[in-house]
Amino acid sequence: MGKTKKYSMKEDFSMVAVLTIPICVAINVVGDQIVQLLKLPIFLDVIGTVLMAMLAGPWPAAVTGVLTNLCMGITDNPTLIPFAITSAACGIAAGMFARKKWFSTQKWKLVIIVLVLDLVTICTASPITIFAFGGVSGNGGQSVAIAGLMASGANIIAAVVGTDFWVNLVDRLLALIIAFAVVKVIPDRTLIKYSLGANFTKKKPE
């Protein structure tokens, strides 16, 4: 009987995966810049993290998320640095789903992935927004929504968590859709160089 292959951290951090991390960080940063330019109430800064999770698993995705927030925090907005924990947590969660091969055409699995990523974001980002920044997030549009809810009588916890739920639900869904679209155009010969890339090849391995 053949043994079931087990992924190791060394396999996750293959040479091609390590070289892809800066590209995925750049995708996240560009997404953030688009949001700032258009003043959108979402983030678009985890697209590359989800992409890395799909290709190489949780740990490269976590590294991608942390580096993204450090880059954006150092070069643009220091308040984004504490949210590196959120980006890392989303990368780990998405990577775990990728290892279980949940990134498939079964829509119910994708719905669960989006909801879990949303929940992970709320559990890690909302406390930072509430206790460290008094309800002001790293996103201007989101901060306006939170302020509006508080002005209408909602307490800070309800305002932040309520806003985080809907904003990140849309954001994580978009991230998943875009990451999927990118994976679909990557050639099989490149996909197989990632530890989880074979899950997305057009011709499945025997």
Side-chain angles (χ1 to χ4, degrees), residues 26-46:
I27 291 173
N28 289 340
V29 172
V30 169
D32 176 71
Q33 292 298 313
I34 291 173
V35 164
Q36 291 192 45
L37 181 64
L38 300 179
K39 301 187 184 303
L40 301 175
I42 53 177
F43 297 95
L44 297 182
D45 60 356
V46 296

Side-chain angles (χ1 to χ4, degrees), residues 76-132:
D76 183 35
N77 186 355
T79 64
L80 295 174
I81 293 178
F83 293 99
I85 187 173
T86 301
S87 296
C90 286
I92 291 171
M96 292 299 184
F97 278 118
R99 280 193 173 176
K100 296 296 184 181
K101 299 182 180 181
W102 272 51
F103 285 90
S104 67
T105 55
Q106 293 179 286
K107 293 182 180 179
W108 68 271
K109 289 185 176 182
L110 300 180
V111 169
I112 291 176
I113 292 173
V114 171
L115 289 174
V116 169
L117 292 180
D118 192 11
L119 181 61
V120 167
T121 301
I122 291 172
C123 291
T124 55
S126 294
I128 297 173
T129 302
I130 294 167
F131 298 110

Side-chain angles (χ1 to χ4, degrees), residues 1-2 13:
M1 292 179 65
F13 285 97

